[in-house]
């Protein structure tokens, strides 16, 4: 009998539940072992979480009771608690997501960075003073928190992404109902457990942060709930577009969604070849290609494509996929059977359009996948160019020049991440201006964003409202506040004030 690592519980209105019923199993993708069980939250429990968040909002969102500085101080304490638990949290992340231990540590560190940023925002200016046409008038903007937010997060960054959404919401004064992915419930729960410890010290109202476990039905019920306003979501396009539709049909709801990507790395003929190959391997295979910023396409100027491809295949052959706790391993398994099936079916679809340079999936064991590498000339509207892969399939596309490379990279309905490898500073600028993506990198992989930058995609990749640090821009209603200190009424635009 394997050791049960953790017991999953909801956290509603400041109380931890004790769930023995409605239990879902949390499975380690590297071994198939059950790590523990967690509840499938009922509608009644979700209702209680929403009610408690709205009750908490009356206090937490009231600037006379909780200033930005005070709210941020709770987050600062949370950061200290997380720092003392990095190894334990990382271990749990690796156990439940299969992510390599080095990446799991980076996931926690990214969460720390995000929460440090959020804590610092408490002492930033809030709003603007704005000059008026009428000298006796003062104008300013005033920020009010928008209200209760749902936070629905994916399994590939089970600790960092929740902090991207929960941190800004809480510091802005918006209570949260958090539903972590059913694949990684415990990493999310640990964040809430540590928040609970920090919150008790500061007498934070109960219900400011609620945790409800479960599958997509729980998330959908939350998003549709009349008691939730902000829908903060990171995950697939299929789910995110549904969240957007639900929010759009309601007078008050808004959604900030981060969705998929169809990302490219471009290698030009003047590129530093060693850097290009390493950047490509990182972009294609880190996290077993399970980042929304992983590169599906490597677009290479044809004069250097044979040399690039040779070196890329050599380096790919050296990259080890295996036990995520082994320090010599580069990346762990895929998350589950569905991902493995997608890997296989995407691989065979691509194979019908492209030439196979390496077919790794023949060597699969459990959810461990070796990468597939293909080569294809650009052809519009192909599966290869349209479908987001999300498993280690990668396609090299030779092109005649930079213009064609940029055209191919932009020829997608997504727009999350893009990278260019070149020494040509003019092309760097062209890429910055004309690349259609929310994250653009030069002489770097397409992965590895820092949280104090905007993280968000164009087109199908997002709502155009980036998350991480930039989420602060969407969580407050910014109202105009104007005072007349004169004794007469004088109107702007030369409007007569005569009656
Ligand atoms: C994701 O791919 O889902 O930019 C998030 C990166 C990480 C975040 C990725 N900081 O690679």
């Amino acid at each position: 009998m394997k050791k049960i690592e953790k017991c999953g519980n909801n956290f509603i209105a400041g109380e931890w539940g004790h769930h023995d019923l409605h239990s879902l199993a949390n499975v380690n993708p590297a071994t198939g072992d059950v790590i523990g069980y967690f509840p499938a939250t009922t509608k009644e429990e979700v209702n209680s979480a929403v009610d408690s968040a709205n009750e908490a909002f009356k206090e937490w969102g009231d600037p006379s009771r909780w200033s930005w500085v005070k709210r941020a101080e709770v987050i600062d304490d949370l950061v200290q608690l997380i720092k003392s638990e990095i190894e334990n949290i990382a271990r749990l992340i690796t156990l439940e997501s299969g992510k390599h231990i080095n990446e799991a540590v980076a996931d926690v560190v990214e969460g720390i960075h995000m929460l440090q940023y959020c804590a610092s925002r408490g002492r930033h200016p809030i709003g603007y003073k704005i000059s008026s046409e009428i000298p006796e008038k003062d104008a300013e903007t005033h920020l009010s928190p928008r209200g209760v937010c749902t936070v629905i997060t994916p399994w590939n960054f089970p600790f960092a992404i929740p902090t991207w959404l929960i941190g800004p919401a809480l510091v802005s004064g918006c209570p949260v109902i958090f539903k972590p992915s059913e694949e990684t419930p415990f990493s999310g729960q640990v964040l809430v457990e540590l928040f609970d410890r920090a919150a008790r010290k500061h007498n934070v109202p109960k219900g400011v942060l609620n945790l409800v476990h479960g599958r997509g039905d729980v998330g959908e019920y939350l998003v549709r709930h009349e008691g939730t306003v902000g829908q903060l979501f990171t995950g697939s396009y299929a789910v995110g577009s549904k969240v957007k539709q639900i929010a759009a049909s309601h007078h008050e709801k808004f959604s900030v969604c981060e969705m998929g990507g169809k990302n490219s790395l471009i290698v030009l003929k003047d590129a530093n070849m060693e850097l290009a190959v390493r950047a490509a391997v990182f972009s294609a295979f880190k996290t077993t290609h399970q980042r929304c910023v992983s590169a599906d396409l490597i677009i290479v100027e044809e004069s250097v494509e044979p040399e690039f491809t040779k070196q890329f295949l050599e380096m790919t052959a050296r990259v080890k996929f295996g036990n995520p706790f082994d320090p010599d391993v580069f990346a762990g398994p895929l998350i589950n059977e569905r991902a493995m099936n997608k890997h296989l079916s995407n691989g065979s679809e691509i194979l019908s359009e492209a030439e196979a340079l390496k077919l790794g999936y023949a060597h699969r064991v459990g959810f461990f996948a070796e990468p597939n590498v293909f080569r294809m000339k650009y052809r519009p509207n192909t599966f290869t160019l349209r479908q987001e892969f999300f498993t280690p399939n990668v396609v090299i596309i030779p092109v005649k020049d930079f213009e064609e490379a940029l055209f191919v990279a932009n020829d997608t309905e997504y727009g999350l991440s893009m990278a260019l490898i070149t020494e040509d500073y003019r092309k760097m600028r062209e890429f910055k201006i004309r690349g259609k993506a929310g994250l653009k990198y030069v002489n770097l992989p397409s992965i590895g964003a820092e949280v104090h930058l905007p993280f968000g995609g164009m087109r199908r990749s997002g709502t155009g409202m980036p998350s991480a640090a930039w989420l602060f821009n969407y969580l407050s209603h910014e109202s105009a506040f104007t005072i007349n200190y004169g004794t007469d009424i004088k109107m702007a635009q030369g409007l007569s004030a005569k009656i």
Side-chain angles (χ1 to χ4, degrees):
M1 180 77 178
K2 293 275 175 197
K3 176 169 161 245
I4 294 292
E5 293 283 340
K6 202 165 166 65
C7 177
N9 278 314
N10 287 338
F11 184 62
I12 296 174
E15 303 295 332
W16 288 99
H18 294 285
H19 291 88
D20 302 322
L21 297 171
H22 318 295
S23 285
L24 302 171
N26 184 13
V27 174
N28 178 340
T31 61
D33 294 335
V34 171
I35 305 165
Y37 295 89
F38 59 100
T41 306
T42 63
K43 288 184 176 164
E44 291 68 33
E45 288 167 317
V46 174
N47 292 344
S48 306
V50 174
D51 289 349
S52 82
N54 278 287
E55 198 50 39
F57 183 48
K58 292 180 192 157
E59 194 182 319
W60 188 248
D62 178 352
S64 304
R65 298 164 87 178
W66 283 88
S67 64
W68 283 66
V69 170
K70 269 186 75 182
R71 290 192 296 249
E73 277 172 357
V74 183
I75 302 300
D76 184 47
D77 273 358
L78 173 60
V79 169
Q80 310 314 320
L81 293 173
I82 296 170
K83 278 189 171 175
S84 65
E85 293 284 332
I86 296 178
E87 283 79 23
N88 292 334
I89 304 171
R91 181 176 166 274
L92 204 53
I93 291 175
T94 295
L95 281 177
E96 65 178 3
S97 73
K99 185 175 224 193
H100 189 267
I101 188 69
N102 169 262
E103 291 203 52
V105 171
D107 197 324
V108 184
V109 170
E110 184 165 338
I112 290 172
H113 291 167
M114 184 64 210
L115 295 173
Q116 283 173 329
Y117 176 82
C118 292
S120 78
R121 278 296 288 257
R123 290 175 191 273
H124 277 217
I126 38 174
Y128 297 95
K129 284 274 184 194
I130 300 165
S131 178
S132 165
E133 291 171 33
I134 314 293
E136 293 98 324
K137 263 168 58 177
D138 272 0
E140 65 184 55
T141 64
H142 174 72
L143 270 59
S144 325
R146 290 242 210 164
V148 171
C149 291
T150 68
V151 167
I152 299 177
T153 54
W155 47 262
N156 63 343
F157 279 80
F159 195 82
I161 291 182
T163 68
W164 296 5
L165 306 178
I166 293 172
L170 295 184
V171 173
S172 301
C174 301
V176 165
I177 300 142
F178 169 36
K179 193 201 87 64
S181 164
E182 62 271 33
E183 300 291 349
T184 51
F186 296 160
S187 313
Q189 182 168 318
V190 166
L191 178 63
V192 179
E193 286 166 359
L194 296 176
F195 175 81
D196 182 28
R197 278 171 58 192
R200 282 171 199 269
K201 203 172 124 191
H202 292 263
N203 288 321
V204 169
K206 290 176 187 303
V208 159
L209 176 59
N210 300 273
L211 170 72
V212 293
H213 286 295
R215 297 208 172 104
D217 55 321
V218 175
E220 179 164 354
Y221 187 71
L222 262 175
V223 172
R224 291 191 187 279
H225 203 294
E226 282 292 316
T228 66
V229 176
Q231 311 304 330
L232 314 180
F233 170 82
T234 301
S236 69
Y237 174 73
V239 177
S241 61
K242 209 164 156 187
V243 172
K244 279 167 65 175
Q245 281 165 21
I246 295 168
S249 63
H250 189 277
H251 67 277
E252 200 185 11
K253 285 184 192 286
F254 70 99
S255 60
V256 177
C257 299
E258 293 306 331
M259 298 174 280
K262 185 72 190 168
N263 313 303
S264 294
L265 176 125
I266 300 171
V267 180
L268 297 186
K269 59 175 185 273
D270 69 345
N272 170 335
M273 193 51 77
E274 198 193 318
L275 187 149
V277 173
R278 288 187 57 216
V281 168
F282 251 80
S283 305
F285 305 134
K286 204 71 185 159
T287 331
T288 326
H289 199 121
Q290 296 178 110
R291 292 188 185 221
C292 52
V293 286
S294 296
D296 288 358
L297 308 178
I298 304 176
I299 303 167
V300 191
E301 263 194 284
E302 58 197 8
S303 59
V304 293
E305 187 272 323
E307 182 57 27
F308 171 84
T309 299
K310 178 173 153 284
Q311 291 192 30
F312 179 74
L313 288 170
E314 279 167 11
M315 195 176 282
T316 299
R318 293 207 304 273
V319 162
K320 277 215 265 178
F321 293 79
N323 175 2
F325 284 104
D326 179 342
D328 293 336
V329 157
F330 184 78
L334 294 172
I335 186 71
N336 55 25
E337 191 170 359
R338 196 149 32 102
M340 179 52 94
N341 289 338
K342 185 171 181 228
H343 183 58
L344 301 179
S345 71
N346 282 355
S348 52
E349 286 276 0
I350 300 166
L351 192 56
S352 69
E353 298 175 343
E355 169 196 359
L357 303 177
K358 169 179 165 30
L359 278 185
Y361 58 49
H363 312 295
R364 70 186 191 271
V365 181
F367 302 153
F368 289 93
E370 293 278 312
N372 301 322
V373 183
F374 303 91
R375 177 166 45 203
M376 188 182 108
K377 275 273 186 201
Y378 170 71
R379 266 188 295 141
N381 297 320
T382 46
F383 175 91
T384 302
L385 294 180
R386 289 284 164 267
Q387 186 68 39
E388 185 192 20
F389 300 157
F390 224 72
T391 67
N393 283 306
V394 69
V395 185
I396 296 170
I397 304 193
V399 290
K400 63 176 187 308
D401 56 15
F402 171 66
E403 280 306 318
E404 191 187 358
L406 197 55
F407 174 81
V408 175
N410 280 337
D411 183 19
T412 157
E413 291 168 333
Y414 291 91
L416 187 55
S417 186
M418 217 180 255
L420 171 70
I421 315 295
T422 184
E423 300 291 310
D424 182 334
Y425 66 90
R426 290 204 170 86
K427 293 199 174 113
M428 293 177 191
R429 185 158 191 266
E430 282 298 302
F431 173 73
K432 175 169 70 183
I433 297 168
R434 290 162 55 206
K436 291 200 176 84
L439 303 148
K440 278 170 270 182
Y441 297 94
V442 172
N443 292 333
L444 283 166
S446 61
I447 67 167
E450 297 178 45
V451 291
H452 50 284
L453 290 159
F455 189 102
M458 299 174 174
R459 305 187 283 198
R460 273 177 189 249
S461 294
T463 35
M465 295 190 272
S467 62
W470 257 244
L471 187 60
F472 276 99
N473 296 335
Y474 317 112
L475 294 169
S476 300
H477 186 89
E478 199 160 4
S479 52
F481 179 71
T482 311
I483 300 185
N484 172 23
Y485 290 101
T487 51
D488 198 8
I489 294 180
K490 293 181 189 160
M491 300 303 290
Q493 300 101 27
L495 185 70
S496 166
K498 267 197 211 153
I499 299 179

